[in-house]
Amino acid sequence: MAYENILVETRGAVALITLNRPKALNALNSALMTELSTALDGFEADAEIRAIVITGSEKAFAAGADIKEMQSKTYMSAYLEDFITSWERVSRVRKPVIAAVAGYALGGGCELAMMCDFIIAADTAKFGQPEILLGVLPGAGGTQRLTRLVGKSKAMDLCLTGRMMDAAEAERSGLVSRVVPADKLIEEAVAAAEKIASLSLPAVMLTKEAVNRAYETTLAEGIRFERRVFHSMFSTEDQKEGMQAFIEKRPAVFRHR
Ligand code: HXC
């Protein structure tokens, strides 16, 4: 499949998707988002792939939705085209997805990163929801996901002032899981993805589903869901292998089923 706005490669069981509109700081236009969805569909269906990394360039993960494409939209065109809903594809991927962010992750770029399972940031990363500066508000989950991740006060600060926060502040506030030197970003993100890809795929997918439940339901419901899923794990070959390997003091060899 030939793409114009993204690059894709596979490294063993890890797929690496690189947003690639360098002249526009990876501004997310509809062509790019369609290609991203197509690539995700392909990796989701590919049994050889067990983890996905989404990254951008050194200067920008993505500087937001494409303002030049959005500028002339009307209420009706946005509504009838269902502008943005297709972006949610990223949050519906069942396999683990890591965002590796260097440089700007602004507006839709920050929202895209937050749709991934976790964010590894380069020390050069800058996050923000500057939509307010354009006379609008975040439209791809920014007011919701950012608030859940960093709390009301910081989310309000970022969304209402449009200011950027650096990688250290993003780590302090819980937006990113770790910060690494910029020249190690891809290596670290791919290593994390490789580690996850080496583990039991059903356990990984169900863990992802269970953690995501914590954002969508009550504690009691979430615990009930986790318990059911935990019980079901005893039906997998990988559970037998994982526990047998521990007892035999050898590394487990998961068959992902
Ligand atoms: C379209 C963009 C863009 C964007 C940058 N560019 N961001 N084009 N949409 N979001 C383009 C610029 O127009 C310019 O093109 C080129 O990329 C380089 O950008 P510069 O501004 O010259 O670079 P720099 O001076 O280094 O400043 C970097 C920047 C700035 C601080 C990131 O580009 C910026 O503020 N960008 C907009 C950030 C933003 O507001 N994002 C939120 C968008 S709204 P030319 O052709 O002039 O060289 C949004 C809503 C999401 O995301 C809702 C859900 C879809």
Side-chain angles (χ1 to χ4, degrees), residues 76-87:
M76 268 311 110
S77 69
Y79 174 71
L80 293 173
E81 292 159 15
D82 205 6
F83 174 50
I84 311 174
T85 299
S86 64
W87 290 35

Side-chain angles (χ1 to χ4, degrees), residues 29-255:
N29 62 7
S30 51
L32 185 152
M33 292 311 291
T34 301
E35 290 185 6
L36 180 59
S37 285
T38 305
L40 290 171
D41 286 343
F43 292 132
E44 188 87 298
D46 183 344
E48 300 300 312
I49 297 300
R50 292 192 292 276
I52 299 164
V53 175
I54 301 179
T55 194
S57 68
E58 276 175 31
K59 184 152 188 219
F61 177 75
D66 191 315
I67 299 167
K68 293 166 190 166
E69 191 182 68
M70 261 185 312
Q71 191 260 343
S72 60
K73 283 194 192 300
T74 64
Y75 182 9
M76 268 311 110
S77 69
Y79 174 71
L80 293 173
E81 292 159 15
D82 205 6
F83 174 50
I84 311 174
T85 299
S86 64
W87 290 35
E88 293 289 330
R89 177 72 189 92
V90 181
S91 60
R92 289 200 316 276
V93 177
R94 297 170 77 217
K95 292 174 181 175
V97 184
I98 302 172
V101 174
Y104 299 110
L106 301 177
C110 186
E111 292 170 310
L112 175 64
M114 290 190 291
M115 286 179 205
C116 300
D117 297 319
F118 62 97
I119 302 172
I120 299 181
D123 49 15
T124 58
K126 285 191 186 308
F127 297 88
Q129 297 290 164
E131 289 89 341
I132 196 77
L133 307 176
L134 300 169
V136 294
L137 75 159
T143 61
Q144 306 303 300
R145 288 197 178 91
L146 188 65
T147 307
R148 282 167 161 79
L149 288 167
V150 306
K152 177 181 166 185
S153 192
K154 192 159 299 259
M156 283 286 193
D157 178 356
L158 290 165
C159 292
L160 290 177
T161 68
R163 78 171 174 91
M164 295 183 209
M165 73 175 167
D166 65 15
E169 185 180 356
E171 187 181 32
R172 253 193 336 270
S173 55
L175 177 61
V176 311
S177 69
R178 36 178 142 153
V179 178
V180 300
D183 61 349
K184 295 272 184 305
L185 177 67
I186 301 300
E187 193 181 317
E188 293 270 349
V190 169
E194 280 170 345
K195 171 69 186 177
I196 296 167
S198 74
L199 305 173
S200 165
L201 182 63
V204 163
M205 289 170 66
L206 286 164
T207 300
K208 167 170 174 163
E209 219 181 309
V211 173
N212 280 332
R213 274 296 160 111
Y215 283 94
E216 289 159 8
T217 192
T218 62
L219 180 62
E221 277 306 317
I223 298 280
R224 248 193 297 279
F225 177 78
E226 184 197 73
R227 192 66 36 82
R228 292 279 176 276
V229 170
F230 181 71
H231 290 162
S232 76
M233 296 310 301
F234 292 91
S235 67
T236 66
E237 289 179 27
D238 286 343
Q239 173 269 327
K240 300 286 174 284
E241 164 62 11
M243 295 193 183
Q244 190 66 33
F246 175 82
I247 290 162
E248 293 173 6
K249 299 186 189 299
R250 61 169 175 81
V253 182
F254 293 115
R255 300 179 67 195

